[in-house]
Amino acid sequence: MPLDLLSVPVFNRVTDYVGVWGIEPSRGNALWLSARNANLPKHVADAKPPQLRSDLQTVRAANGLTVGIVMLAGPLMKAVSSMEAGTSTVQARRDLRKAVNDPDVAAILLAIDSPGGTVAGTADLAAEVRSAAAKKPVWAFADDLCASAAYWVASQADAIFANDRTALVGSIGTLAVVYDLSGAAEQQGIKTFVFGTGPLKGAGAPGAPISDEQQAYFRGLVEDAQLSFDAAVRKGRGLTEKQLIDAKTGGVFGAAEALERKLIDGIRSMDAVINDLAAEAKRTVRQAK
């Protein structure tokens, strides 16, 4: 697909905040609280539409080779969040393709400081990383935080490193939040009727109770997304089923524990990782010859 066809509509996408997420829980709670407390009609009317912009950078390593750096910072969404600075997974895919197609770029580093984000767009970005790694060495660097959907993406790189023992890695899990406001509505004398064409149509409507069948439906959406997350991490990191289950707590691990659990490959500074990656790129070229 040509680069210019990788795009998303540019407008304030409030609906991006619903659905299934792969995000570190405490950061997700803060994000949703901010959205719930916002004056959404005013926000949609006043906020400038978020624009996709490239964060692709290049740096020359010690051996003279150029490393392309793709930034994944803040919440990951298909479009950039209009409420909190983050990264568009669509733009990250564009940056990856640009780095792959640039003959001057010998290797690619994913520089990650992210709690994760929406499941929508994550699988596509993860696949883009796998595709790029088949053409050039691709490493991931956890700069303090690489959690949930961000780790899903990182797991598809050839190797993952953290900047310090204090870095937080993991949070392998997905979630969806649906509020049952029927009790509060009843206290206010409000009764909500949902006229839908099936038992799931209108599930989660404000003021309407959420039935057991509807709860099972939302649970199914989360578990289905988790199957893709699990498969990607297990294959990308070469984990056994037990290793994956033990790591799949939903919480993050300090870098030292993440290393023990084989979620990362080492703890090094960014400068060291860039130089080592460039050295790996040089070895790869020699082997290809």
Side-chain angles (χ1 to χ4, degrees):
M1 182 184 294
L3 285 172
D4 57 359
L5 293 183
L6 286 178
S7 62
V8 290
V10 179
F11 56 88
N12 295 327
R13 298 160 60 93
V14 175
T15 53
D16 279 350
Y17 290 87
V18 300
V20 183
W21 283 66
I23 192 167
E24 193 281 320
S26 64
R27 272 75 168 184
N29 290 337
L31 185 62
W32 293 317
L33 184 62
S34 175
R36 289 191 68 192
N37 291 337
N39 184 331
L40 293 182
K42 187 175 189 305
H43 169 77
V44 171
D46 294 349
K48 294 181 180 179
Q51 301 290 330
L52 299 188
R53 63 179 181 82
S54 174
D55 281 326
L56 179 63
Q57 303 174 25
T58 57
V59 61
R60 192 170 294 277
N63 66 0
L65 295 183
T66 297
V67 174
I69 301 178
V70 176
M71 308 293 294
L72 301 178
L76 307 180
M77 305 174 74
K78 292 183 74 172
V80 178
S81 167
S82 58
M83 295 188 179
E84 180 177 338
T87 296
S88 161
T89 54
V90 170
Q91 184 60 54
R93 291 175 63 197
R94 292 171 64 98
D95 288 346
L96 272 167
R97 292 189 182 190
K98 185 175 181 180
V100 166
N101 293 329
D102 187 341
D104 293 330
V105 172
I108 301 169
L109 182 68
L110 305 176
I112 303 172
D113 186 0
S114 170
T118 58
V119 167
T122 297
D124 288 336
L125 179 54
E128 199 78 50
V129 172
R130 287 196 302 274
S131 177
K135 302 176 180 68
K136 295 180 179 180
V138 178
W139 288 6
F141 182 73
D143 193 359
D144 290 327
L145 180 62
C146 180
S148 210
Y151 184 77
W152 182 344
V153 173
S155 71
Q156 303 309 290
D158 299 317
I160 308 173
F161 297 92
N163 65 317
D164 191 86
R165 290 176 61 88
T166 60
L168 300 176
V169 178
S171 190
I172 300 173
T174 51
L175 76 160
V177 178
V178 181
Y179 296 94
D180 186 337
L181 302 176
S182 57
E186 185 177 355
Q187 289 182 355
Q188 299 176 44
I190 300 171
K191 191 171 183 63
T192 301
F193 294 92
V194 178
F195 300 98
T197 55
L200 301 179
K201 206 69 175 178
I210 300 177
S211 67
D212 290 343
E213 183 177 4
Q214 291 169 347
Q215 291 180 44
Y217 164 70
F218 289 119
R219 165 60 64 184
L221 293 178
V222 171
E223 291 180 348
D224 186 58
Q226 187 62 43
L227 289 175
S228 297
F229 194 166
D230 289 349
V233 170
R234 185 175 177 185
K235 182 177 181 180
R237 295 301 301 168
L239 302 180
T240 65
E241 183 176 359
K242 184 180 186 308
Q243 286 172 329
L244 176 63
I245 291 173
D246 290 345
K248 201 173 65 174
T249 65
V252 290
F253 303 104
E257 185 173 358
L259 181 58
E260 291 178 0
R261 292 176 178 270
K262 298 185 178 180
L263 299 182
I264 63 175
D265 299 287
I267 303 171
R268 308 177 193 172
S269 69
M270 179 176 275
D271 287 345
V273 168
I274 288 173
N275 288 328
D276 290 344
L277 175 55
E280 174 64 20
K282 193 169 186 178
R283 283 193 296 270
T284 302
V285 171
R286 286 176 177 172
Q287 290 172 1
K289 292 181 178 179

